[in-house]
Amino acid sequence: MDGFPILTLLTFIPVIGMIIVLAMPGKMEKEIKYVTLLSTAIQVILAVILLSNFDYSAGGIFQKDSFQFIEKYKWIEIFGGSWIGTIKIDYFVGADGLSVPMILLTALISFIATLSSWNINKSVKGYFALFLLLDAAMMGVFVSLNFFLFYIFWELMLLPMYFLIGIWGGPRKEYAAIKFFIYTLVGSVFMLLVMIGLYFSATETLANGSKAFSFDFLVLMDKANYLKDGILSPLNPHNLRFIAYIALFIGFAIKIPMFPFHTWLPDAHVEAPTPISVILAGVLLKMGTYGILRISYPIFPQITNDIAWYIGLFGMINIIYGALVALAQKDFKKLIAYSSVSHMGYVMLGMASLTTTGINGAIFQMFNHGTITAMLFLIVGVVYDRAHTRGLYEFGGLANQMPVYTGFVTVAFFAAIGLPSLSGFVSEALVFVGAFGVDTLRTLTMISALGILLGAAYMLWTLQRVFFGQLPEKWKSLTDIDAREYAMFIPLTIIIIFLGVYPSAMLNIMNTSVNTLVEFLSVNIGNISIGGL
Amino acid sequence: MDFSSLYDSLALIKPEIIISVTLVLIVVLDLIYDKNKKLVPYLALLGLIVSGIYILSDIANEGFAFKMSATSNKFGLLALDSFGSYFKLLIILTSVLIVFFAKHSVEIENTGKRQGEFYTLLFGMILGMMFMVSASDLIMIYVSMELLSFSSYVLAGFIKLRDRNSEASLKYIIFGGVASGVMLFGISLIYGLTGTTNLYSINAALQSGNINLIVLGFSLLLIVAGIGYKISAVPFHFWTPDVYEGAPISITAFLSVASKAAGFAILIRFIKTAFVTNVDGSGNWLLVPVFDWKTLISVFAILTMTLGNFAALWQDNLKRMLAYSSIAHAGYLLLGVVVFSQIGIEAILIYFAIYMLMNLGSFYIVMLIADKTGSEDIHDYSGLGYVTPFLGVSFAVFLVSLTGLPPTAGFIGKLYLFIALIDAKMTTLAVIAVLNSVVSLYYYIRVLKHMFLTKPNGEVKEIKLSTANVVYVIVLLIPVLVLGIYFSPLVNFAESCLAFLSF
């Protein structure tokens, strides 16, 4: 794979698709859809090629040498005056065990969401152009190893999302879209300040021997690079690292979404069209947890250790609160949205453990949540397309009317509950084992386990309300799923079952990197003065 | 005045001379061709371009023009340096764009025979600004500001058809008259304290001590009020929304960019020349400890951006909304002043270049839509994004850039301002500034909401664009997008233009 720019292609294939879509006349709706499908299909193929060339034994995280598929080019280089020094920003992408599962997930979900977008018939050209831009931005976030590049992709995602919800959404779309935008922007502007603060705190040595400030994640992870008087430097006794950590964390927490920053999510989900809900739940939410693992953990190891319990606490709150609120929902989609809040809590709980098992579980849960929740939203989409309502109490007995559909639903629901032999079980089990092994998290873990029970309650209750019992007269005309919907459900179902039976397929990808991360954290804890507290 | 060096002085101000000559030529041409005014804009363009080439060709040209006397005092009325040249270039570039802007504007075209006057007055403004950015004497500052002001008073009310034009003009004159009177009073107090009006001599006088600090503080406040009025900093901003809304839109755009740039240039030069004793190795300015500039400018910056942004939230008229937005941007720009370092000034230079592109772009699109629909009300924008996708998408890019989101140039402008702030360890101000940009998102995106999300009441008429319109938008659009991703050339250029003429 030497020299083949696979990560760049993965990121920019959708951009090329977007340019083609924009160049096509708006009347060629079918062709536009096929161009989009082709772009996302190429992305999936590239992701598979990436996986087949991936070296499972390379750790990544903080070691530049063990990152794979690296591309590093000079992008911005400004030789400034003495007061600012050289500004150097690289186009720096690479993959390790942390990002590969996310790359696979992004490619897969984008492809499925394209299939699910087939029924879009309002301003088709605009929709698919924005969709592809969103796809590129998401992929970019997961491959960037330079904070500046990461930030650009992170922000680039907002505008397409705003329009996708705002134009193609439901009745309260305008409110939901602006709420999403403003929440996320508040988080990311703080991220911007932290980024600049970190920039002025560490230097890297350039080829010519001179020092330059750096946005490079790997440079920022090495405390040997920090300056004595940097505002976010661990060597500075008056540093603001703790405040910066919290600011950065809130930026990510809004995206997860962590209680109490979660209120944008139900609105966005309920108003967004089905494919966008799928993207939102399947990929976007993971950016928050991915960001914490990729940036917060290795750049601020000591503070991470100090506040890990609170991450676990908020994880627990997410699990229980999300599940309780889900129990009270009357709207199918809102129920799934809150179940998402609950399931992302497991990710946070696993991360908080700072153990290999827990973090493996967290990343695996990120992937599984991506596939399972995507499927749940597709399920809601199918019934909404036909019945034009999502009221849980308006349905009943759909099992007889739509047997195949109900089969897929059952798989997805049981996977969400965490039934053994389905993928959700493995990741949740790993999270619990990891967290339970840490003394301080034990109580939190036990309370969190209640979430499984609550999850089973709302899922089974939903199954009963919608699919069993008497079929109302007005739904007698509903048809079962068609070929396109099969194409959406089958790959996800296969993945859910396969990873349930053989989880090592995914765990092996991330294991070395997670070990590297945990080891890096344990080495650095205690060596770095926290300050600023 | 020492006349022996007059020739040397004139050689230093060739660009200004060219602008003056063009002004006269426009008057003559206007008299010769009484009916046909088609040639006037081209003559104006020619003058601007020649002047621009002169500036560019010796951008590093340094020296004092119009020295007070050959022997005792070497400082002059004008200090020519690369900092001033950068702003002159910016003003020339803005003027070139404004000439095209006015050429495409229906309201200016409708003035028929009076177009000659329009360009004459426009050149009056340009000349005033160009002297302003290099003025190093309080009298010169005052005179050039008045030249700018008087031309703009007339231009603000140039279109007599609408009542609000005259209202705008009258308000402008009254506010402006008070501001310049106040400023003149401040100047007279400074003269009383130091015995000189030259900024360099004032610096020396301040360093020597024996100054009554209370009187000095009072007089500086008065001068800052005069300059604050020009850059529409809160609380001297009251004229801005009314004048911006009432003036012809090309003049509004010009005021919001060029006039503000000149105001900032004079504020920076005033502080730099009269108060800075030394610039240390890391580019920080050491000020004479006679006046707390940092607190004063910080307060102005916070007030200006916060009030500008919050007031813009409630505006339905696009011109008025952009007026408040330009107040908010003046607030961001003040952040570059408040750090008192070279990097802050660099950030301002970068921001202004980008601000010119995105702000002119926004005003131009508002003008195109207003010319066709006759309305600047946000509710009349409903559905426009679909009937004219080109305008919709371009406007989206300009507004996103004004908000400061990547990958547009506006992000780079904000980035450099925040870099300057964080480098100076002024995190509180940085936090206030980023929160402000979140607030600004709401009103910028509101326009897009109306263009793309809101269902229009009834039929939306298509807006037919001429090729010239499309080209104009694209000329502004491309740098806004390109500079967002590749900004080295602009930053390099700004960095090379940071030299102030010193002792």
Side-chain angles (χ1 to χ4, degrees), chain A residues 75-76 78-80 82-84 87 89 123 148 151 155-156 159 162-163 166-167 174 178 181-182 185-186 189-190 192-193 196-197 200 229 231, chain B residues 281-283 342-343 346 386 400 405-407 411 415-416 418-419 422-423 425 434 438 441-442 445 449 453 485-488 491-492 495 498:
Chain A
W75 173 19
I76 303 281
I78 299 161
F79 299 102
S82 59
W83 54 86
I84 183 161
I87 291 196
I89 303 171
S123 329
F148 191 84
Y151 187 79
E155 293 270 88
L156 183 61
L159 206 65
Y162 170 80
F163 283 115
I167 298 179
E174 292 165 20
I178 192 74
F181 206 152
I182 288 190
L185 190 65
V186 170
V189 291
F190 284 116
L192 174 66
L193 292 185
I196 299 172
F200 277 116
D229 57 347
I231 190 166
Chain B
S282 38
Q342 295 295 89
I343 179 171
E346 184 190 337
Y386 295 102
V400 167
L405 295 181
F411 169 65
L415 179 78
Y416 267 87
F418 295 148
I419 280 181
I422 302 260
D423 187 42
K425 302 207 169 36
V434 292
V438 175
L441 169 78
Y442 187 80
I445 210 85
K449 187 189 101 178
L453 271 54
I485 297 169
Y486 190 73
F487 47 92
S488 334
V491 176
N492 277 328
E495 247 166 32
L498 282 172

Coordinates of all heavy atoms in Angstrom, one line a residue, chain A residues 75-76 78-80 82-84 87 89 123 148 151 155-156 159 162-163 166-167 174 178 181-182 185-186 189-190 192-193 196-197 200 229 231, chain B residues 281-283 342-343 346 386 400 405-407 411 415-416 418-419 422-423 425 434 438 441-442 445 449 453 485-488 491-492 495 498:
Chain A
W75 N 1.3 22.0 3.9 CA 0.1 22.6 3.4 C 0.2 24.1 3.5 O 0.2 24.9 2.5 CB -1.1 22.1 4.2 CG -2.4 22.7 4.0 CD1 -2.8 23.5 3.0 CD2 -3.5 22.7 4.9 NE1 -4.1 23.9 3.2 CE2 -4.6 23.4 4.3 CE3 -3.7 22.1 6.1 CZ2 -5.8 23.5 4.9 CZ3 -5.0 22.2 6.7 CH2 -6.0 22.9 6.1
I76 N 0.5 24.6 4.7 CA 0.7 26.0 5.0 C 2.0 26.2 5.6 O 2.3 25.5 6.6 CB -0.4 26.6 5.9 CG1 -1.8 26.3 5.4 CG2 -0.1 28.1 6.2 CD1 -2.3 27.3 4.4
I78 N 4.4 29.5 6.7 CA 4.6 30.9 6.6 C 5.8 31.3 7.5 O 5.8 31.0 8.7 CB 3.4 31.7 7.1 CG1 2.2 31.3 6.2 CG2 3.6 33.2 7.1 CD1 0.8 31.6 6.8
F79 N 6.8 31.8 6.9 CA 8.0 32.2 7.7 C 7.8 33.6 8.2 O 8.0 34.6 7.5 CB 9.3 32.1 6.8 CG 9.5 30.7 6.3 CD1 9.2 30.4 5.0 CD2 10.0 29.8 7.1 CE1 9.4 29.1 4.5 CE2 10.2 28.5 6.7 CZ 9.9 28.2 5.4
G80 N 7.3 33.6 9.4 CA 6.9 34.9 9.9 C 8.0 35.7 10.6 O 9.2 35.2 10.6
S82 N 9.9 37.6 13.9 CA 10.4 36.9 15.1 C 9.3 36.7 16.1 O 9.3 35.8 17.0 CB 11.5 37.8 15.7 OG 10.9 39.1 16.0
W83 N 8.3 37.6 16.0 CA 7.2 37.5 17.1 C 6.3 36.3 17.0 O 5.7 35.9 17.9 CB 6.4 38.8 17.1 CG 5.8 39.1 15.8 CD1 4.7 38.6 15.3 CD2 6.4 39.9 14.8 NE1 4.5 39.1 14.0 CE2 5.5 39.9 13.7 CE3 7.6 40.7 14.7 CZ2 5.8 40.7 12.5 CZ3 7.8 41.4 13.6 CH2 6.9 41.4 12.5
I84 N 6.2 35.7 15.8 CA 5.3 34.6 15.7 C 6.0 33.3 15.2 O 5.5 32.2 15.5 CB 4.1 34.9 14.8 CG1 3.0 33.8 14.8 CG2 4.5 35.3 13.4 CD1 1.7 34.2 14.3
I87 N 4.8 29.5 10.9 CA 3.5 28.8 11.0 C 3.5 27.7 10.0 O 3.7 27.9 8.8 CB 2.4 29.8 10.7 CG1 2.2 30.8 11.8 CG2 1.1 29.0 10.6 CD1 0.9 31.5 11.8
I89 N 1.5 24.2 9.0 CA 0.4 23.3 9.1 C 0.5 22.2 8.0 O 0.7 22.5 6.9 CB -1.0 24.0 8.9 CG1 -1.1 25.2 9.9 CG2 -2.1 23.1 9.1 CD1 -2.2 26.1 9.7
S123 N -35.8 18.8 -4.4 CA -34.5 19.4 -4.7 C -33.4 18.3 -4.6 O -32.5 18.4 -3.8 CB -34.0 20.5 -3.8 OG -35.1 21.2 -3.4
F148 N -5.6 21.3 13.3 CA -6.2 22.3 12.4 C -7.1 21.6 11.3 O -8.2 22.0 11.1 CB -5.1 23.1 11.7 CG -5.5 24.3 11.0 CD1 -5.7 25.4 11.7 CD2 -5.8 24.2 9.6 CE1 -6.2 26.6 11.0 CE2 -6.2 25.4 9.0 CZ -6.4 26.5 9.7
Y151 N -10.2 20.2 12.9 CA -11.2 21.3 13.2 C -11.9 21.7 11.9 O -13.1 21.9 12.0 CB -10.5 22.5 13.8 CG -11.4 23.5 14.3 CD1 -12.1 23.3 15.5 CD2 -11.7 24.6 13.6 CE1 -13.0 24.2 16.0 CE2 -12.6 25.6 14.0 CZ -13.2 25.4 15.2 OH -14.2 26.3 15.7
E155 N -16.0 21.3 11.6 CA -16.9 22.4 11.3 C -17.6 22.3 10.0 O -18.7 22.8 9.8 CB -16.1 23.8 11.4 CG -15.6 24.1 12.7 CD -16.5 24.9 13.6 OE1 -17.3 24.3 14.3 OE2 -16.5 26.1 13.5
L156 N -16.9 21.7 9.0 CA -17.4 21.6 7.7 C -18.7 20.8 7.7 O -19.6 21.0 6.8 CB -16.3 20.9 6.8 CG -16.7 20.8 5.3 CD1 -16.9 22.1 4.7 CD2 -15.6 20.1 4.6
L159 N -22.7 22.8 8.4 CA -23.5 23.5 7.4 C -24.4 22.5 6.6 O -25.6 22.7 6.5 CB -22.7 24.4 6.5 CG -23.5 25.6 6.0 CD1 -24.0 26.5 7.1 CD2 -22.7 26.4 5.0
Y162 N -27.1 21.3 8.8 CA -28.1 22.3 9.0 C -29.1 22.3 7.9 O -30.3 22.2 8.1 CB -27.5 23.6 9.1 CG -28.5 24.8 9.1 CD1 -29.2 25.1 10.3 CD2 -28.7 25.5 8.0 CE1 -30.1 26.1 10.3 CE2 -29.7 26.5 8.0 CZ -30.4 26.8 9.1 OH -31.3 27.8 9.1
F163 N -28.6 22.3 6.7 CA -29.5 22.3 5.5 C -30.3 21.0 5.3 O -31.5 21.0 5.0 CB -28.8 22.7 4.2 CG -28.5 24.1 4.1 CD1 -27.2 24.6 4.1 CD2 -29.5 25.1 4.1 CE1 -26.9 25.9 4.1 CE2 -29.2 26.4 4.0 CZ -27.9 26.8 4.0
G166 N -32.8 21.1 7.9 CA -33.7 22.3 7.7 C -34.6 22.3 6.5 O -35.6 22.8 6.5
I167 N -34.1 21.7 5.4 CA -34.8 21.7 4.2 C -35.7 20.4 4.0 O -36.8 20.5 3.6 CB -33.9 21.9 2.9 CG1 -33.2 23.2 3.0 CG2 -34.7 21.8 1.6 CD1 -32.2 23.5 1.9
E174 N -37.1 23.8 11.1 CA -36.2 25.0 11.2 C -35.7 25.1 12.6 O -34.5 25.4 12.9 CB -37.0 26.2 10.9 CG -37.4 26.3 9.4 CD -38.5 27.3 9.1 OE1 -38.7 28.2 9.9 OE2 -39.1 27.1 8.0
I178 N -31.6 24.8 13.6 CA -30.8 25.8 14.2 C -30.3 25.4 15.6 O -29.2 25.8 16.0 CB -31.6 27.2 14.2 CG1 -30.6 28.3 14.6 CG2 -32.7 27.2 15.2 CD1 -29.7 28.7 13.5
F181 N -27.3 23.4 15.2 CA -26.2 24.2 14.7 C -25.6 25.0 15.9 O -24.4 24.9 16.1 CB -26.7 25.1 13.6 CG -25.6 25.6 12.6 CD1 -25.9 25.9 11.3 CD2 -24.3 25.6 13.0 CE1 -24.9 26.3 10.5 CE2 -23.3 26.0 12.1 CZ -23.6 26.4 10.9
I182 N -26.4 25.6 16.6 CA -25.9 26.5 17.7 C -25.3 25.7 18.8 O -24.2 26.0 19.3 CB -27.0 27.4 18.2 CG1 -27.3 28.4 17.1 CG2 -26.6 28.1 19.5 CD1 -28.2 29.6 17.5
L185 N -22.0 24.5 17.6 CA -21.0 25.6 17.4 C -20.5 26.1 18.7 O -19.3 26.4 18.8 CB -21.7 26.7 16.6 CG -20.7 27.8 16.1 CD1 -19.7 27.2 15.1 CD2 -21.4 29.0 15.5
V186 N -21.3 26.1 19.7 CA -20.8 26.6 21.0 C -19.7 25.6 21.5 O -18.6 26.1 21.9 CB -22.0 26.5 22.1 CG1 -21.4 26.7 23.5 CG2 -23.0 27.6 21.8
V189 N -16.4 26.2 19.2 CA -15.6 27.4 19.3 C -14.7 27.3 20.5 O -13.6 27.8 20.5 CB -16.5 28.7 19.4 CG1 -17.1 29.0 18.1 CG2 -17.5 28.7 20.5
F190 N -15.2 26.6 21.6 CA -14.3 26.4 22.7 C -13.1 25.5 22.3 O -12.0 25.7 22.7 CB -15.0 25.8 23.9 CG -15.8 26.8 24.6 CD1 -17.2 26.8 24.7 CD2 -15.2 27.9 25.2 CE1 -17.9 27.7 25.3 CE2 -15.9 28.9 25.8 CZ -17.3 28.8 25.9
L192 N -11.8 25.5 19.4 CA -10.9 26.3 18.7 C -9.9 27.0 19.6 O -8.7 27.1 19.4 CB -11.7 27.4 17.9 CG -11.0 28.5 17.2 CD1 -10.1 27.8 16.1 CD2 -11.9 29.5 16.6
L193 N -10.5 27.6 20.7 CA -9.6 28.3 21.7 C -8.5 27.3 22.3 O -7.4 27.6 22.4 CB -10.4 28.9 22.8 CG -11.2 30.1 22.4 CD1 -11.9 30.7 23.6 CD2 -10.4 31.1 21.6
I196 N -5.9 26.7 19.7 CA -4.9 27.7 19.6 C -4.0 27.7 20.9 O -2.7 27.9 20.8 CB -5.5 29.1 19.5 CG1 -6.4 29.1 18.2 CG2 -4.5 30.2 19.4 CD1 -7.2 30.3 18.0
G197 N -4.6 27.5 22.0 CA -3.8 27.4 23.3 C -2.7 26.3 23.2 O -1.6 26.5 23.6
F200 N 0.3 27.2 20.9 CA 1.3 28.1 21.5 C 2.1 27.4 22.6 O 2.9 28.1 23.2 CB 0.7 29.4 21.9 CG 0.5 30.4 20.8 CD1 -0.7 30.8 20.5 CD2 1.6 30.8 20.1 CE1 -0.9 31.7 19.4 CE2 1.5 31.7 19.1 CZ 0.2 32.2 18.7
D229 N 6.8 28.1 29.3 CA 5.8 29.1 29.7 C 4.5 29.1 28.9 O 3.7 30.0 28.8 CB 6.4 30.5 29.5 CG 7.0 30.7 28.1 OD1 7.0 29.7 27.4 OD2 7.3 31.9 27.8
I231 N 0.8 28.4 27.7 CA -0.4 28.6 28.4 C -1.0 27.2 28.8 O -1.7 27.1 29.8 CB -1.4 29.5 27.7 CG1 -2.6 29.9 28.5 CG2 -1.9 28.9 26.4 CD1 -3.3 31.1 27.9
Chain B
G281 N 11.3 42.0 21.5 CA 11.7 40.9 20.5 C 10.5 40.1 20.1 O 10.5 39.6 19.0
S282 N 9.6 39.9 21.0 CA 8.4 39.1 20.6 C 7.3 39.9 20.1 O 6.1 39.4 20.0 CB 8.0 38.2 21.8 OG 8.1 38.9 23.0
G283 N 7.6 41.2 19.7 CA 6.6 42.0 19.0 C 5.6 42.7 19.9 O 4.7 43.3 19.4
Q342 N 2.7 43.3 17.5 CA 2.8 43.2 16.0 C 1.8 42.2 15.5 O 1.2 42.4 14.4 CB 4.2 42.8 15.6 CG 5.3 43.9 15.9 CD 5.0 45.2 15.2 OE1 4.3 46.1 15.6 NE2 5.6 45.3 14.0
I343 N 1.7 41.1 16.2 CA 0.8 40.0 15.7 C -0.6 40.5 15.7 O -1.4 40.1 14.8 CB 1.0 38.7 16.5 CG1 0.1 37.6 16.0 CG2 0.8 38.9 18.0 CD1 0.4 36.3 16.6
E346 N -1.0 42.5 12.6 CA -1.0 41.6 11.5 C -2.4 41.0 11.3 O -3.0 40.9 10.2 CB 0.0 40.5 11.7 CG 0.2 39.5 10.5 CD 1.0 38.3 10.9 OE1 1.8 38.4 11.8 OE2 0.8 37.3 10.2
Y386 N -34.1 29.1 -4.2 CA -34.4 28.1 -5.2 C -34.6 28.7 -6.6 O -34.2 28.1 -7.6 CB -35.7 27.4 -4.8 CG -35.6 26.6 -3.6 CD1 -36.1 27.0 -2.4 CD2 -34.9 25.4 -3.6 CE1 -35.9 26.3 -1.2 CE2 -34.7 24.6 -2.5 CZ -35.2 25.1 -1.3 OH -35.0 24.4 -0.1
V400 N -21.5 32.6 5.8 CA -20.8 31.7 6.6 C -19.4 32.2 6.9 O -18.9 32.1 8.0 CB -20.7 30.3 5.8 CG1 -19.7 29.4 6.5 CG2 -22.1 29.6 5.8
L405 N -16.8 30.6 9.9 CA -16.7 29.1 10.0 C -15.7 28.6 8.9 O -15.8 29.2 7.8 CB -18.0 28.5 9.8 CG -19.1 28.7 10.8 CD1 -20.4 28.0 10.4 CD2 -18.6 28.2 12.2
P406 N -14.9 27.6 9.1 CA -14.2 27.0 8.0 C -15.1 26.3 7.0 O -16.2 25.9 7.5 CB -13.2 26.1 8.7 CG -13.9 25.7 10.0 CD -14.7 26.9 10.4
P407 N -14.7 26.1 5.8 CA -13.4 26.4 5.2 C -13.5 27.7 4.5 O -13.0 27.8 3.3 CB -13.2 25.3 4.3 CG -14.6 24.9 3.8 CD -15.6 25.4 4.9
F411 N -13.0 32.4 8.6 CA -12.4 31.6 9.7 C -10.9 32.0 9.9 O -10.5 32.1 11.0 CB -12.5 30.2 9.3 CG -11.7 29.3 10.2 CD1 -12.1 29.2 11.6 CD2 -10.7 28.5 9.8 CE1 -11.4 28.4 12.4 CE2 -10.0 27.7 10.6 CZ -10.3 27.6 12.0
L415 N -9.3 33.3 13.1 CA -8.3 32.5 13.7 C -7.1 33.4 14.1 O -6.6 33.3 15.2 CB -7.8 31.5 12.7 CG -6.7 30.6 13.1 CD1 -7.2 29.5 14.1 CD2 -6.0 29.9 11.9
Y416 N -6.7 34.3 13.2 CA -5.5 35.2 13.5 C -5.8 36.1 14.7 O -4.9 36.4 15.5 CB -5.1 35.9 12.3 CG -4.0 35.1 11.6 CD1 -4.3 34.1 10.6 CD2 -2.6 35.3 11.9 CE1 -3.3 33.4 10.0 CE2 -1.7 34.5 11.3 CZ -2.0 33.6 10.4 OH -1.0 32.8 9.8
F418 N -7.8 35.4 17.2 CA -7.8 34.6 18.4 C -6.3 34.2 18.7 O -6.0 34.1 19.9 CB -8.7 33.4 18.3 CG -10.1 33.7 18.1 CD1 -11.0 32.9 17.4 CD2 -10.6 34.8 18.8 CE1 -12.3 33.3 17.3 CE2 -12.0 35.2 18.6 CZ -12.8 34.4 17.9
I419 N -5.6 34.0 17.7 CA -4.2 33.6 17.9 C -3.5 34.8 18.6 O -2.8 34.6 19.6 CB -3.4 33.3 16.6 CG1 -3.8 31.9 16.1 CG2 -1.9 33.5 16.7 CD1 -3.1 31.5 14.9
I422 N -4.8 34.8 22.3 CA -4.2 33.7 23.2 C -2.7 33.9 23.4 O -2.2 33.7 24.5 CB -4.5 32.4 22.5 CG1 -6.0 32.2 22.2 CG2 -3.9 31.2 23.3 CD1 -6.7 31.4 23.2
D423 N -2.1 34.4 22.3 CA -0.6 34.7 22.5 C -0.4 35.7 23.6 O 0.6 35.6 24.3 CB -0.1 35.2 21.2 CG 1.4 35.3 21.2 OD1 2.1 34.3 21.8 OD2 2.0 36.3 20.7
K425 N -2.2 36.0 26.1 CA -2.8 35.4 27.3 C -4.1 36.1 27.7 O -4.3 36.3 28.9 CB -1.8 35.3 28.4 CG -0.6 34.4 28.0 CD 0.1 33.8 29.2 CE 1.1 32.8 28.9 NZ 2.0 33.0 27.8
V434 N -15.5 34.4 21.1 CA -16.0 33.2 20.4 C -17.5 33.1 20.7 O -18.3 32.7 19.8 CB -15.3 31.9 20.7 CG1 -13.9 31.9 20.2 CG2 -15.3 31.6 22.2
V438 N -20.8 32.9 18.0 CA -22.0 32.0 18.0 C -23.3 32.7 17.9 O -24.2 32.3 17.2 CB -22.0 31.1 19.3 CG1 -23.2 30.3 19.4 CG2 -20.7 30.3 19.4
L441 N -23.9 33.8 14.4 CA -24.4 32.7 13.6 C -25.9 32.8 13.4 O -26.4 32.6 12.3 CB -24.1 31.3 14.2 CG -24.8 30.2 13.5 CD1 -24.1 29.8 12.1 CD2 -24.8 28.9 14.3
Y442 N -26.6 33.1 14.5 CA -28.1 33.1 14.5 C -28.6 34.1 13.4 O -29.5 33.7 12.6 CB -28.6 33.4 15.8 CG -30.1 33.2 15.9 CD1 -30.7 31.9 16.0 CD2 -31.0 34.3 15.7 CE1 -32.0 31.7 16.0 CE2 -32.4 34.1 15.7 CZ -32.9 32.8 15.8 OH -34.2 32.6 15.8
I445 N -27.5 33.1 9.7 CA -28.1 31.9 9.2 C -29.6 32.1 9.0 O -30.3 31.4 8.2 CB -27.9 30.7 10.2 CG1 -27.9 29.3 9.5 CG2 -28.9 30.6 11.3 CD1 -26.6 29.0 8.8
K449 N -32.0 30.8 6.2 CA -33.2 30.1 6.6 C -34.4 30.6 5.7 O -35.1 29.8 5.1 CB -33.6 30.3 8.1 CG -34.7 29.5 8.6 CD -35.2 29.9 10.0 CE -36.4 30.8 9.9 NZ -36.9 31.2 11.2
L453 N -35.2 27.7 3.6 CA -36.1 26.8 4.4 C -37.5 27.3 4.4 O -38.5 26.5 4.5 CB -35.6 26.8 5.8 CG -34.5 25.7 6.2 CD1 -33.4 25.7 5.2 CD2 -34.0 25.8 7.6
I485 N -8.7 28.0 2.6 CA -7.9 26.7 2.6 C -6.4 27.0 2.4 O -5.6 26.4 3.0 CB -8.4 25.8 1.5 CG1 -9.9 25.5 1.8 CG2 -7.6 24.5 1.5 CD1 -10.6 24.8 0.7
Y486 N -6.1 28.0 1.6 CA -4.7 28.3 1.4 C -4.5 29.8 1.6 O -4.7 30.6 0.8 CB -4.3 27.9 0.0 CG -2.8 28.0 -0.2 CD1 -2.0 27.0 0.4 CD2 -2.2 29.0 -1.0 CE1 -0.6 27.1 0.2 CE2 -0.9 29.1 -1.1 CZ -0.1 28.1 -0.5 OH 1.3 28.2 -0.7
F487 N -4.0 30.1 2.8 CA -3.9 31.6 3.2 C -2.5 32.1 3.3 O -2.3 33.3 3.6 CB -4.7 31.8 4.5 CG -4.3 30.8 5.6 CD1 -3.3 31.1 6.5 CD2 -5.1 29.7 5.7 CE1 -3.0 30.2 7.5 CE2 -4.8 28.7 6.7 CZ -3.8 29.0 7.6
S488 N -1.5 31.3 2.9 CA -0.2 31.8 3.1 C 0.1 33.1 2.3 O 0.8 34.0 2.9 CB 0.9 30.8 2.6 OG 0.4 29.5 2.7
V491 N -1.2 36.1 4.3 CA -0.5 36.3 5.5 C 0.9 36.8 5.3 O 1.4 37.7 6.0 CB -0.5 35.0 6.3 CG1 0.3 35.1 7.6 CG2 -1.9 34.6 6.7
N492 N 1.6 36.2 4.3 CA 2.9 36.7 4.0 C 2.9 38.2 3.6 O 3.8 38.9 4.1 CB 3.5 35.9 2.8 CG 4.1 34.6 3.3 OD1 4.6 34.5 4.4 ND2 4.0 33.6 2.5
E495 N 2.3 40.3 6.6 CA 3.5 40.3 7.5 C 4.6 41.3 7.0 O 5.3 41.9 7.8 CB 4.1 38.9 7.6 CG 4.0 38.3 9.0 CD 4.2 36.8 9.0 OE1 5.0 36.4 8.2 OE2 3.6 36.2 9.8
L498 N 4.2 45.4 8.0 CA 4.0 45.8 9.4 C 4.9 46.9 9.9 O 5.0 47.2 11.1 CB 4.2 44.6 10.3 CG 3.0 43.6 10.3 CD1 3.4 42.4 11.0 CD2 1.8 44.3 11.0

